[in-house]
Amino acid sequence: MTDAKYAPAPAEPPPSYETAAHAKPPPPSRLPLPLNLPLINSLRDRRVILASASPRRKQLLAQIGLTKLEIKPSTLPENLSKSLDPFDYVLQTATQKAMHVYSSELNNAELGEPAVVLAADTIVVSISGKVLEKPRSEADHIAMLKMLRNSGYHRVFTAVVAMAPLASAQHPGYAKESTVEETTVRFGRDISDEMLLAYVRTREGADKAGGYAIQGVGAILVERIEGSWDNVVGLPLRATLGLIEKVLDQSDEDEDEDEDEDEDQ
């Protein structure tokens, strides 16, 4: 007979998928000191817009010192055909987000034009080439994770697009740079169904394409990755910084040329 002193407390039922998908993320831990880089410092008091509601992307950018982000997610429907090549699908989706938010904020009478607009899109692609959505139910979630475990590996693509206005009216009026990063993720083949069920019931992966969070408890499912870790989280930071630097350099060069033309007149 089990001693009542050590009897396990009855577990609370996990929240529904609708509730879990809209739950607020836990507060971030104390951020490190920002990077003392000219690029980061130049953006301290300028409008940097993240065209995404993802708290994970916001936190990744905050970790390098971009803490004063304006969060303005695109409201365009993400309805591109899943028959597109994953590279094209994720890049077109991120580009649409960037263009939509950039266009809506360019003539902001109160705040002025943005210094840079960042947009990103992340997809998880099965070994058969299927783009995986967020799980719709517990049964769907379990089936998704079993498939990822049994298939051996899957791929995560993140497209990032950066846009900055040009001082001149030269067509198209903005600088735009983009990149698509790919990371291969392998789940452990020895992960038990019991572990998958236990993870599913944490609901951590309920609001994530592919059904898991590598930056959280979902790390226990991952045996190894090939590529950048933060790409799987949702934003490859090194590549993103490179894009920001490129569009701002183009914007600054355009402004210098515009000033030179004014002096020559």
Side-chain angles (χ1 to χ4, degrees), residues 165-174 250-251 254-255 257-258 261:
L166 299 178
S168 69
Q170 183 176 353
H171 182 77
Y174 55 79
Q250 293 175 52
S251 179
D254 182 77
E255 185 174 5
E257 290 175 4
D258 200 43
E261 288 177 4

Side-chain angles (χ1 to χ4, degrees), residues 98-128:
M99 295 290 292
H100 180 244
V101 173
Y102 177 85
S103 298
S104 65
E105 290 299 319
L106 185 60
N107 297 313
N108 189 313
E110 180 182 354
L111 300 175
E113 66 184 19
V116 64
V117 172
L118 287 173
D121 190 61
T122 301
I123 58 173
V124 178
V125 183
S126 71
I127 195 172
S128 65

Side-chain angles (χ1 to χ4, degrees), residues 50-55 57-58 70-74 97 101 118-120:
L50 178 61
S52 170
S54 167
R57 293 186 181 121
K58 179 182 178 182
E70 292 182 39
I71 307 301
K72 296 186 179 293
S74 170
K97 292 178 181 180
V101 173
L118 287 173

Side-chain angles (χ1 to χ4, degrees), residues 14 37 48 75 83 106 124 132 151 165 169 222 226 251 253:
L37 291 174
V48 180
T75 56
S83 64
L106 185 60
V124 178
L132 301 181
S151 63
V222 178
E226 296 175 14
S251 179
E253 288 172 6

Side-chain angles (χ1 to χ4, degrees), residues 42-190:
S42 71
L43 293 170
R44 294 271 187 246
D45 298 313
R46 302 173 71 185
R47 292 189 73 199
V48 180
I49 298 175
L50 178 61
S52 170
S54 167
R56 295 167 291 281
R57 293 186 181 121
K58 179 182 178 182
Q59 187 171 1
L60 283 169
L61 289 168
Q63 287 173 359
I64 60 172
L66 295 176
T67 56
K68 296 181 180 179
L69 295 170
E70 292 182 39
I71 307 301
K72 296 186 179 293
S74 170
T75 56
L76 288 177
E78 297 180 24
N79 55 6
L80 292 176
S81 172
K82 298 295 192 301
S83 64
L84 286 170
D85 176 88
F87 183 100
D88 293 329
Y89 177 88
V90 73
L91 179 57
Q92 288 185 35
T93 301
T95 301
Q96 286 183 352
K97 292 178 181 180
M99 295 290 292
H100 180 244
V101 173
Y102 177 85
S103 298
S104 65
E105 290 299 319
L106 185 60
N107 297 313
N108 189 313
E110 180 182 354
L111 300 175
E113 66 184 19
V116 64
V117 172
L118 287 173
D121 190 61
T122 301
I123 58 173
V124 178
V125 183
S126 71
I127 195 172
S128 65
K130 180 182 179 182
V131 176
L132 301 181
E133 305 286 356
K134 299 173 184 177
R136 299 181 300 273
S137 64
E138 187 169 281
D140 181 48
H141 200 171
I142 293 169
M144 185 180 293
L145 294 181
K146 283 184 177 180
M147 182 270 291
L148 293 177
R149 175 197 63 188
N150 297 341
S151 63
Y153 72 89
H154 56 278
R155 296 175 295 165
V156 179
F157 294 85
T158 296
V160 185
V161 179
M163 298 182 66
L166 299 178
S168 69
Q170 183 176 353
H171 182 77
Y174 55 79
K176 179 167 69 69
E177 295 287 341
S178 61
T179 188
V180 178
E181 297 282 312
E182 177 183 349
T183 300
T184 300
V185 181
R186 182 182 294 275
F187 276 13
R189 288 289 188 94
D190 60 345

